[in-house]
């Protein structure tokens, strides 16, 4: 079974109810519902999230070094390799075993973010982004440890009854085929379909758990957590 090693550098700590818990390295949280969809090309490694600073007044003059002939420290480090799962073109991904989409075929083929059926399945709707971390239990035990992905998928037409799910995706032993594991289901929509639960944000936290902020049918928000309960990868809320 895959160990609980953290992949990459640790993110900043999350503060929940006055306590801190370290997070596994992730690429980003889901965007808020209704934000523009911008992930039209394979994702690149995370960049620094520190905001650029500027001045509202005139630019300050450049300060020269006190030592006229001090050598410039311009040594550069090679860029970290991008994992195969991060190279995924999610709007056009091919994912096996994604039963949530309701297709009879074992393979779901997305094109421009949708599988194109009458009752469509859309991947990363509303500008949501994938989250990357090493969090899926893998067999055999000596299988190489690789990053996995957590992506948001929505089943149903806009303006009608829809339902969302968080889908864990991992690579097979060849490192090329993408497989869906058991999903984390959002709440069922209201009977008339006019109210839908949405995932506002989601992330992988310590002990391979998933934490999400959800907007409920009544419009309120709450934080929920899930953990796996068996080797098949099924989830329970706790």
């Amino acid at each position: 079974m895959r160990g609980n090693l953290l992949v990459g550098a640790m993110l900043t700590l999350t503060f929940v109810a006055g306590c801190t818990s370290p997070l596994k390295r992730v690429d980003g949280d889901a965007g808020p519902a209704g934000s523009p969809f911008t992930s039209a090309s394979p994702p690149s490694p995370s960049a620094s999230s520190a905001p650029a600073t500027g001045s509202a007044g005139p630019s300050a003059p450049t300060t020269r070094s006190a030592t006229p002939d001090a050598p410039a420290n311009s040594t550069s480090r090679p860029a970290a390799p991008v994992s195969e799962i991060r190279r995924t073109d999610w709007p056009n991904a091919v994912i096996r075993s994604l039963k949530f989409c309701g297709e009879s075929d074992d393979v779901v083929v997305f094109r421009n973010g949708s599988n194109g059926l009458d009752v469509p399945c859309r991947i990363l709707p509303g500008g949501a982004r994938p989250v990357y971390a090493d969090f899926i239990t893998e067999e055999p035990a000596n299988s190489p440890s690789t990053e996995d992905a957590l992506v948001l998928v929505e089943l149903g037409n806009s303006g009608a009854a829809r339902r969302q799910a968080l889908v864990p995706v991992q690579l097979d032993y060849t490192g090329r085929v993408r497989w869906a594991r058991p999903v984390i289901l959002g709440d069922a929509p209201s009977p008339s379909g006019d109210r839908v639960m949405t995932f506002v944000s989601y992330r992988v936290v310590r002990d391979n758990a998933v934490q999400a902020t959800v907007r409920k049918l009544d419009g309120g928000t709450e934080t929920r957590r899930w953990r796996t309960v068996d080797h098949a990868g099924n989830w329970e809320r706790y």
Side-chain angles (χ1 to χ4, degrees):
M1 295 177 63
R2 185 182 291 180
N4 287 330
L5 296 178
L6 300 183
V7 175
M10 299 295 290
L11 289 182
T12 56
L13 300 183
T14 293
F15 293 86
V16 180
C19 300
T20 60
S21 59
L23 300 181
K24 291 178 181 292
R25 180 184 176 186
V26 297
D27 185 60
D29 296 333
S35 58
F37 183 80
T38 58
S39 179
S41 59
S44 60
S46 300
S48 172
S49 59
T53 57
S55 173
S59 300
T62 302
T63 302
R64 296 175 179 266
S65 169
T67 306
D69 298 324
N73 294 325
S74 58
T75 57
S76 59
R77 298 178 181 178
V82 179
S83 66
E84 182 61 30
I85 196 73
R86 288 177 182 257
R87 298 177 187 273
T88 304
D89 178 10
W90 293 107
N92 300 294
V94 177
I95 302 178
R96 292 185 175 272
S97 194
L98 183 49
K99 298 178 175 60
F100 171 76
C101 288
E103 295 193 24
S104 57
D105 195 352
D106 183 55
V107 181
V108 178
V109 180
F110 292 99
R111 290 292 178 265
N112 297 319
S114 172
N115 64 351
L117 299 184
D118 291 339
V119 180
C121 216
R122 297 189 301 137
I123 191 167
L124 297 178
R129 294 179 294 167
V131 168
Y132 300 102
D134 181 2
F135 69 100
I136 299 177
T137 302
E138 189 175 276
E139 297 292 346
N142 62 353
S143 180
S145 176
T146 60
E147 279 190 305
D148 311 302
L150 186 67
V151 296
L152 181 66
V153 172
E154 182 177 87
L155 177 63
N157 287 290
S158 298
R162 293 171 289 123
R163 193 172 192 179
Q164 293 189 341
L166 294 177
V167 182
V169 179
Q170 69 178 154
L171 299 172
D172 74 343
Y173 70 95
T174 69
R176 295 188 298 270
V177 181
R178 287 150 179 81
W179 287 84
R181 300 302 301 267
V183 306
I184 297 173
L185 275 175
D187 298 342
S190 62
S192 61
D194 61 332
R195 288 175 292 159
V196 179
M197 193 215 86
T198 57
F199 289 91
V200 178
S201 66
Y202 48 93
R203 61 179 59 197
V204 176
V205 296
R206 64 180 181 181
D207 298 326
N208 299 330
V210 170
Q211 177 177 301
T213 299
V214 305
R215 181 170 290 110
K216 301 180 295 180
L217 300 187
D218 62 6
T221 60
E222 70 177 5
T223 299
R224 298 181 181 180
R225 283 195 176 206
W226 297 265
R227 60 189 174 195
T228 53
V229 294
D230 53 34
H231 294 299
N234 292 300
W235 300 86
E236 70 171 1
R237 185 178 165 188
Y238 72 103

